[in-house]
Amino acid sequence: MMATGRQTDRGTVRSFTEMDEAAKRQKLSLRQRAFEILEHSRRRDVASRVIDDLLVILILGNVAVVVAQTIPEVANQFGNTLFVFDRICVLIFAVEYAARIWVAPEHPMLSDKRELVARVRFAGSPLMVIDALALVPWILEVLYPHSNLILLTRLVRLLKLARYSPAIATIGRVIAAERRALLACVIILSGVLLTCAAVMLAIEGDKQPERLGDMSKTIWWAAAMLAKIGGGETEPVTVLGRIVAAITVMLGIFCFALPVAIIGRGFYEEIRRRDFVVTFAMVARVPLFSTLDAASIADLVNMLRARTVAAGTVLIRQGDPGDAMYFVASGTVEVTTKTLNVRLSEGDFFGEMALLSRGPRTATVTALSSTDLLVLEVDDFLRLLDRLPAVKKQVEGIAASRDLG
Ligand code: CMP
């Protein structure tokens, strides 16, 4: 029984989330259901929410235990309890890891692969690598029980929280987007550090050989001055030395302000991209959804993510794998291949072909003006098509009619 969410003759409105979810869940295989719980992280799904919350508590508890075990008084009094708690956490993390690997073939982007291939590819994804690293300390403890590295590696478990924090993903995106500017900052800072250290060595190296007699000493002095964490105990004794010290302090302010400003601006840009809210009216205006009933549109409002891009932004690159489709809420984009040049504007959609074929992107899509987009991630796209056959037919029809040049 597939409810489409349309207005029925008697005027009742049926939401596909409420009715289909329950009906579909009964039909789902154990692995499909496990995938939904573990990988979908839908706050609307109680089981998924409970598992997510439990894992977050365990991760935080485990990190707290790691720290507590380094405090002799706590370790003496509660050592055994902490040890048992840590082992239980590791066991649960190992089961969680195995379960995620087990459900990997259910991932929409991997479901056309052989199970082993899907699992290997999934194991290589960043979050799974972090999950694997979280288990490494346990292996180290068995192999090298007294290594000092174990404490450090156990703290890696904190990174597991990345899965549950969109903010961490935002930081990652900002750093990735600004990597060139940040690399330039590192180069400038290194240059300033070495120059100040070399100048100070030349000026005061023979006057204060104990403190400024070689580059290792003056590099430490310059780093302390640049970061304003001290260095006062090594005061220059010459006038020129004092002038260089003052310049070093001022350069420090510049060097540290620069990356802060770059990251701050990156955050602003990232947040600005999300600052328009997907409204009911916006979704209802999309021609593809205009015949849907109110409840289905309300569900779509929750599925779609807003994204504003500047003119010139490349949204899709030909040949890349597909991860989402887009609806143009306002603005214009250009679809290009070697032989094709098509403009799409408000109400049009793109990016559906790679998701339907599970192949690579067929064209490059670039924003021609500042454009507001509604983004539908691949998981939601496949669910949507599954639930709304009429929409599926329309999307497939439009995709088939698109001339690839
Ligand atoms: P996809 O292959 O996922 O990524 C590139 C997108 O460009 C493609 O999906 C379509 O949505 C869109 N596209 C490709 N060819 C055309 C065309 N002839 N007219 C309009 N859009 C197209």
Side-chain angles (χ1 to χ4, degrees):
M1 55 157 282
M2 284 285 289
T4 59
R6 286 177 184 285
Q7 183 99 26
T8 66
D9 292 339
R10 278 162 291 156
T12 35
V13 173
R14 296 193 294 175
S15 150
F16 61 69
T17 347
E18 287 161 19
M19 301 192 69
D20 284 2
E21 280 289 328
K24 273 196 94 183
R25 235 172 251 161
Q26 284 174 358
K27 280 193 241 154
L28 289 180
S29 72
L30 185 63
R31 198 174 72 179
Q32 284 170 328
R33 181 70 187 123
F35 173 77
E36 286 214 328
I37 293 174
L38 282 171
E39 292 296 332
H40 261 308
S41 289
R42 292 216 181 287
R43 299 306 286 176
R44 277 179 279 164
D45 184 334
V46 178
S48 177
R49 201 169 55 216
V50 168
I51 299 260
D52 281 2
D53 292 350
L54 267 177
L55 285 170
V56 169
I57 292 169
L58 274 186
I59 295 164
L60 291 175
N62 189 261
V63 171
V65 163
V66 170
V67 175
Q69 281 175 326
T70 65
I71 305 168
E73 301 87 60
V74 181
N76 286 342
Q77 209 178 337
F78 305 105
N80 283 343
T81 318
L82 297 179
F83 177 78
V84 171
F85 178 77
D86 181 62
R87 284 299 124 114
I88 292 173
C89 287
V90 170
L91 185 67
I92 294 174
F93 293 155
V95 171
E96 178 208 348
Y97 183 80
R100 287 189 194 279
I101 293 285
W102 175 56
V103 303
E106 299 296 334
H107 197 289
M109 293 306 288
L110 299 170
S111 55
D112 59 334
K113 307 262 181 305
R114 279 191 300 124
E115 294 205 348
L116 181 65
V117 177
R119 291 199 169 107
V120 170
R121 297 254 310 246
F122 193 62
S125 62
L127 288 175
M128 288 303 286
V129 171
I130 291 176
D131 279 353
L133 285 177
L135 296 173
V136 167
W138 172 70
I139 301 164
L140 277 182
E141 274 167 51
V142 175
L143 295 179
Y144 310 99
H146 303 298
S147 167
N148 286 336
L149 269 182
I150 291 172
L151 172 67
L152 206 59
T153 51
R154 284 171 75 187
L155 290 175
V156 168
R157 289 177 191 154
L158 201 56
L159 291 180
K160 275 171 75 71
L161 289 177
R163 177 173 269 120
Y164 308 100
S165 167
I168 293 182
T170 306
I171 294 176
R173 265 199 302 279
V174 169
I175 291 177
E178 303 294 344
R179 62 189 181 285
R180 287 194 188 86
L182 290 173
L183 181 65
C185 290
V186 171
I187 293 170
I188 292 172
L189 183 58
S190 311
V192 169
L193 182 76
L194 290 174
T195 309
C196 293
V199 171
M200 194 44 95
L201 179 64
I203 297 171
E204 302 228 344
D206 47 357
K207 306 225 165 33
Q208 302 193 65
E210 298 271 292
R211 291 175 162 177
L212 300 171
D214 63 58
M215 271 300 266
S216 72
K217 290 173 182 155
T218 53
I219 284 177
W220 168 246
W221 172 86
M225 296 299 275
L226 286 169
K228 290 281 290 152
I229 58 164
E233 68 279 3
T234 313
E235 267 185 33
V237 290
T238 61
V239 175
L240 202 55
R242 285 198 198 101
I243 293 171
V244 171
I247 294 171
T248 308
V249 171
M250 283 186 277
L251 283 175
I253 295 168
F254 165 78
C255 286
F256 286 101
L258 207 56
V260 170
I262 289 168
I263 290 184
R265 194 191 53 113
F267 261 110
Y268 169 75
E269 290 287 324
E270 187 66 25
I271 288 160
R272 201 183 61 83
R273 260 182 225 134
R274 294 148 187 267
D275 67 358
F276 84 89
V277 177
V278 180
T279 62
F280 192 93
M282 208 179 275
V283 177
R285 257 204 321 269
V286 175
L288 187 65
F289 303 138
S290 59
T291 55
L292 296 182
D293 65 87
S296 298
I297 293 181
D299 281 325
L300 271 164
V301 169
N302 290 328
M303 281 185 189
L304 291 162
R305 192 164 49 81
R307 192 173 162 203
T308 301
V309 292
T313 308
V314 178
L315 294 155
I316 284 179
R317 252 177 238 285
Q318 190 172 9
D320 280 358
D323 52 2
M325 82 173 281
Y326 302 79
F327 298 89
V328 183
S330 73
T332 312
V333 300
E334 189 177 47
V335 180
T336 48
T337 63
K338 273 189 190 140
T339 52
L340 180 81
N341 195 313
V342 178
R343 286 184 179 196
L344 301 176
S345 53
E346 187 173 330
D348 291 326
F349 61 80
F350 59 92
E352 79 294 351
M353 292 168 102
L355 306 191
L356 286 171
S357 68
R358 297 192 178 161
R361 296 291 196 190
T362 56
T364 296
V365 184
T366 314
L368 287 185
S369 59
S370 171
T371 303
D372 287 341
L373 297 160
L374 303 174
V375 187
L376 187 65
E377 303 291 341
V378 59
D379 291 1
D380 288 324
F381 170 81
L382 294 172
R383 276 154 186 269
L384 182 77
L385 297 199
D386 205 19
R387 288 169 186 160
L388 301 174
V391 170
K392 179 177 181 187
K393 216 170 137 202
Q394 244 179 304
V395 173
E396 285 176 343
I398 292 177
S401 71
R402 286 184 161 166
D403 178 10
L404 291 175

